[in-house]
Amino acid sequence: MGHGNSDKLYITHAEHAGQFGSHSSSSGFKFKVQAPHPGARTPFDSCALSFQPFSHPVCARNSDGTGTVFDLVNIIPWLKQHNNTHPITKEPLLPTDLITLHYSRKEASGEIHDPISFKPFSEHSHIVAIATTGNVFLADSVKGGKDLVNEVPFKKQDVITLQNPHGLPQASVSTLAASTVGTSSSSAQQKGMASKPAVPGGVSAVKAKAAVPWNVSPYSSGLPGASLTSTSVDPTTTGSSKLLWDEEELMFEDISNPLKGKGKEKDVGKRRAYVRLVTSLGGGSLNLELFCEKAPKTCYNFLMLAKAGKYDNCLFHRLVPGFMIQTGDPTGTGTGGESYWGTPFRDEHDMKGAAKHDSRGVLAMANKGAGTNGSQFYITFKPAHNLDKKHTVFGKLVGGEEVLDLLEKLPLKDSTERPAKSVRITEVAIYQDPFDDYKKRLANKLAKRAQTNQINNNNLPEKKEGDQINWFGVKVGAEGAATADDEPGGGVGKYLNLKRPQSALVTSAGVDDSSRKKRKTGFGDFAGW
């Protein structure tokens, strides 16, 4: 349709593919996404350092073919103060590298315009500059390889893009790419060898099929279908569209489900963790049992933080006698502490069979509201049913009652809930971790599966040419062709008798070949018509 390519009244395949510009229905959306936000762009008539209208514009050329406009009175002091460093790209920039720009202005209003077409510049204009002359034009006016103002020829490498708001194809060429092309061409000339196209390999060069992940989901992401029917979605034709289950969520589901087998449903001890908290209160310890089957994610967070040493030297920062004692904040202020994943995670007090605050020594998570669990936890001194459905209970005290009594009797600071005596967690010892057992079982299962697949692939027979079953169900192409006397094949062929009757067999002994009636082909010579 004229786009500098042809005069055809329709968009050709080359134009639609982007060879002569981008004219497909989704190109505008793509370039809009790639273009910077309008608020992040410097006005075309302002200095990129002061964001004020310039009076002595200069340009600092970048390696990607673009340029940044500065005011000379602003960039020179910057370079002196920052050891000749570009204020935006942080690359070396010398005052001699600056290019003086010449803008054309209207005498009456002082408005900047293109010197060729006299179109005024705007925030939507594609503005370029010529490095050899410093003249500034619209991109549409840079044609023919000659500066039409000074009548000076220039190369495409001399074109610098100053503003390209809509992500259109650049009129300039990256200096890095130009230098790379020059180096490669010179080296090829030195060697005297012409580059040859790569010869595609045979069947062995085809990429092997990727292994299917063990946690693949039966559901699809829907991207291939969406990209087929929508012009705003990038085409997706490669890669798998299958979704993958979260490996940790699969582990939590396996831990929370009861074990299968006779008598194993009652054996919950294998699905629970046992931890010992050693305190600085006379070396006393608190022995805890974690309900991994009732709050798997909360228990996993606690165990992983303990293994990482996050609870070591943690202070018991809050004490309410007759209610609970709280710890788990590495900062000791009561306001810090992150989860194992670095972000707050969900509550589990609404799961089936969730534990309650029904006794003394209940271990639960402290939070600031729904879904704000981190690393802090508390141990109750009495039942607290008012906290049910608000805090996740993930364990209980099974040893160290005397230590819990001593913690409850600690004196407090005046008008605060902080103990007057600093008591800390010195060590966290883990005696049983069902999550580690699950990971070991999974690793062994995947190893056996990989070994079985490898054995099956090695035992596959090599397919020979003609190694197939014919219409009669007889295998042909193998050594010694099978007949009807052999073992019958599968399919319809086993019901057919391949032997012809003896009356139909005519021996050819003593019979001249000329006496046999030859089969006529065609229509003859039409002599008898």
Side-chain angles (χ1 to χ4, degrees), residues 9 42 246 342 371 406 511:
L9 298 180
T42 305
D246 190 346
L406 294 177
V511 180

PDB file of all heavy atoms in Angstrom, residues 9 42 246 342 371 406 511:
ATOM      1  N   LEU A   9      -2.486  -2.453  -3.578  1.00  0.00           N
ATOM      2  CA  LEU A   9      -3.600  -1.934  -2.788  1.00  0.00           C
ATOM      3  C   LEU A   9      -3.890  -2.794  -1.561  1.00  0.00           C
ATOM      4  O   LEU A   9      -4.979  -2.727  -1.014  1.00  0.00           O
ATOM      5  CB  LEU A   9      -4.856  -1.831  -3.662  1.00  0.00           C
ATOM      6  CG  LEU A   9      -4.727  -0.877  -4.861  1.00  0.00           C
ATOM      7  CD1 LEU A   9      -6.026  -0.852  -5.636  1.00  0.00           C
ATOM      8  CD2 LEU A   9      -4.337   0.508  -4.399  1.00  0.00           C
ATOM      9  N   THR A  42      11.972  13.310  29.081  1.00  0.00           N
ATOM     10  CA  THR A  42      12.333  14.720  29.208  1.00  0.00           C
ATOM     11  C   THR A  42      11.706  15.493  28.054  1.00  0.00           C
ATOM     12  O   THR A  42      11.731  15.021  26.917  1.00  0.00           O
ATOM     13  CB  THR A  42      13.855  14.884  29.179  1.00  0.00           C
ATOM     14  OG1 THR A  42      14.426  14.050  30.191  1.00  0.00           O
ATOM     15  CG2 THR A  42      14.257  16.319  29.413  1.00  0.00           C
ATOM     16  N   ASP A 246       2.668 -25.942  42.311  1.00  0.00           N
ATOM     17  CA  ASP A 246       3.710 -25.522  43.240  1.00  0.00           C
ATOM     18  C   ASP A 246       4.195 -26.751  44.013  1.00  0.00           C
ATOM     19  O   ASP A 246       3.408 -27.465  44.629  1.00  0.00           O
ATOM     20  CB  ASP A 246       3.147 -24.472  44.201  1.00  0.00           C
ATOM     21  CG  ASP A 246       4.241 -23.814  45.036  1.00  0.00           C
ATOM     22  OD1 ASP A 246       5.377 -24.345  45.056  1.00  0.00           O
ATOM     23  OD2 ASP A 246       3.975 -22.778  45.679  1.00  0.00           O
ATOM     24  N   GLY A 342       9.991 -14.537  52.782  1.00  0.00           N
ATOM     25  CA  GLY A 342      10.222 -13.100  52.702  1.00  0.00           C
ATOM     26  C   GLY A 342       8.969 -12.265  52.650  1.00  0.00           C
ATOM     27  O   GLY A 342       9.040 -11.040  52.696  1.00  0.00           O
ATOM     28  N   GLY A 371      -3.800 -13.077  57.360  1.00  0.00           N
ATOM     29  CA  GLY A 371      -2.798 -13.296  56.318  1.00  0.00           C
ATOM     30  C   GLY A 371      -1.533 -12.493  56.479  1.00  0.00           C
ATOM     31  O   GLY A 371      -0.899 -12.137  55.482  1.00  0.00           O
ATOM     32  N   LEU A 406       8.668 -20.628  85.025  1.00  0.00           N
ATOM     33  CA  LEU A 406       9.647 -19.589  85.325  1.00  0.00           C
ATOM     34  C   LEU A 406       9.500 -18.399  84.382  1.00  0.00           C
ATOM     35  O   LEU A 406       9.674 -17.245  84.796  1.00  0.00           O
ATOM     36  CB  LEU A 406      11.064 -20.166  85.226  1.00  0.00           C
ATOM     37  CG  LEU A 406      11.435 -21.233  86.268  1.00  0.00           C
ATOM     38  CD1 LEU A 406      12.844 -21.774  86.002  1.00  0.00           C
ATOM     39  CD2 LEU A 406      11.363 -20.649  87.679  1.00  0.00           C
ATOM     40  N   VAL A 511       4.713 -75.874 -20.214  1.00  0.00           N
ATOM     41  CA  VAL A 511       3.784 -74.965 -20.881  1.00  0.00           C
ATOM     42  C   VAL A 511       4.574 -73.798 -21.416  1.00  0.00           C
ATOM     43  O   VAL A 511       5.357 -73.174 -20.687  1.00  0.00           O
ATOM     44  CB  VAL A 511       2.689 -74.487 -19.904  1.00  0.00           C
ATOM     45  CG1 VAL A 511       1.726 -73.540 -20.630  1.00  0.00           C
ATOM     46  CG2 VAL A 511       1.940 -75.682 -19.348  1.00  0.00           C
TER      47      VAL A 511
END
